[in-house]
């Protein structure tokens, strides 16, 4: 897969991963909520140097591509010099939007993930990829989780949206809606685009932490860029091992909040009767926004 497309994210359960022995983090010290201590002092100089290289590459790519909220929040975080201390960011984040960061060993079970979000806690993986994984990583690491996700948590509307998403996830577990809700997460929080007066911009963490997709999603003529619609998103399959073939574009974070916090119970029931759409679909009458110049 491409760099930090972040593959299965939280949808691969720990149980499934453990069966294959593929989980990478050390879960032995995690508490019942899969929370660990970051142990910041244990990061090596080489790991901080790798973080700086990752940061520098992405920092050059985000002007004119990432949304303003992300750029401004990232600058305020001041984490260019090395792997950040979660406790320091968490303190600032709590003051800004009432969210906190919790350190986790890696992917956590769906229920645990949703519980954290519903209580305004964002789980951030503690380990950093190896140097040879600079462009390619199978599971989300600290760079993806922190660089890609944390800046937007400083925006109150986005932060409220993510909490509602967590509450919705807990409900979806009981409603045969998890697969549908996973597509929503994928096409918004991981791979979402947003309108701006200057043209399309990126807010999805999977794109923002990727060296290649950040340009591809805006400037390449191949992928579709379709105005956001909840039902359409939930019907659409996605790619986990290549760049996305479709991106969905929100007007603003208010739209994301308003369109995704209603009770999805009837929508799940309806969509579970319909066939999923291929990732490269373009339906009759649908707008396909052009690539940015
Ligand atoms: Fe992610």
């Amino acid at each position: 897969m491409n760099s930090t497309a972040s593959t299965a994210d939280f949808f691969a359960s720990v149980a499934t991963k453990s069966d294959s022995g593929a989980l990478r983090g050390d879960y032995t010290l995690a508490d019942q909520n899969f929370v660990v201590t970051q142990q910041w002092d244990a990061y090596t100089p080489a790991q901080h140097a790798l973080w700086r290289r990752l940061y520098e590459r992405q920092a050059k790519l985000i002007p004119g591509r990432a949304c303003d909220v992300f750029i401004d929040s990232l600058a305020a975080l001041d984490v260019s010099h090395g792997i950040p201390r979660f406790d320091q960011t968490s303190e600032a984040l709590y003051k800004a939007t009432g969210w906190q960061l919790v350190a986790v060993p890696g992917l956590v079970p769906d229920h645990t993930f949703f519980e954290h979000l519903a209580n305004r806690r964002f789980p951030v993986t503690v380990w950093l990829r190896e140097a040879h994984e600079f462009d390619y990583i199978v599971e989300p690491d600290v760079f993806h989780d922190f660089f890609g996700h944390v800046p937007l948590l400083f925006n109150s509307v986005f932060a409220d949206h993510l909490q509602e998403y967590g509450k919705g996830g807990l409900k979806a577990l009981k409603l045969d809606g998890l697969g549908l809700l996973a597509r929503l997460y994928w096409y918004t929080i991981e791979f979402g685009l947003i309108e701006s007066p200057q043209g399309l911009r990126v807010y999805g963490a999977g794109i923002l932490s990727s060296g290649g997709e950040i340009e591809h999603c805006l400037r390449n003529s191949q992928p579709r860029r379709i105005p956001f619609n909840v039902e359409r998103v939930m019907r659409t399959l996605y790619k986990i091992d290549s760049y996305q073939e479709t991106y969905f574009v929100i007007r603003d974070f208010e739209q994301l909040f308003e369109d995704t916090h209603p009770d999805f119970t009837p929508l799940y029931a309806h969509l579970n009767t319909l066939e999923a759409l291929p990732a490269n679909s373009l339906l009759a009458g649908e707008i396909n926004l052009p690539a940015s110049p």
Side-chain angles (χ1 to χ4, degrees), residues 6 9 144-145 149 185 190 205:
S6 72
D9 243 2
H144 167 80
D145 281 347
H149 285 287
Y185 189 92
E190 293 293 353

Side-chain angles (χ1 to χ4, degrees), residues 99 111-121 162-170:
W99 274 71
H111 184 271
T112 303
F113 184 78
F114 294 138
E115 278 279 359
H116 281 310
L117 297 188
N119 290 285
R120 295 175 92 85
R121 298 188 301 262
L162 200 56
Q163 181 182 27
E164 291 302 313
Y165 186 89
K167 292 180 189 172
L170 292 171

Side-chain angles (χ1 to χ4, degrees), residues 4-10 113 122-123 140-141 144-146 148-149 185-186 189-191 204-206 209:
T4 61
S6 72
T7 56
D9 243 2
F10 64 90
F113 184 78
F122 192 79
D141 71 339
H144 167 80
D145 281 347
F146 195 105
H149 285 287
Y185 189 92
W186 194 264
I189 293 161
E190 293 293 353
F191 292 95
S209 59

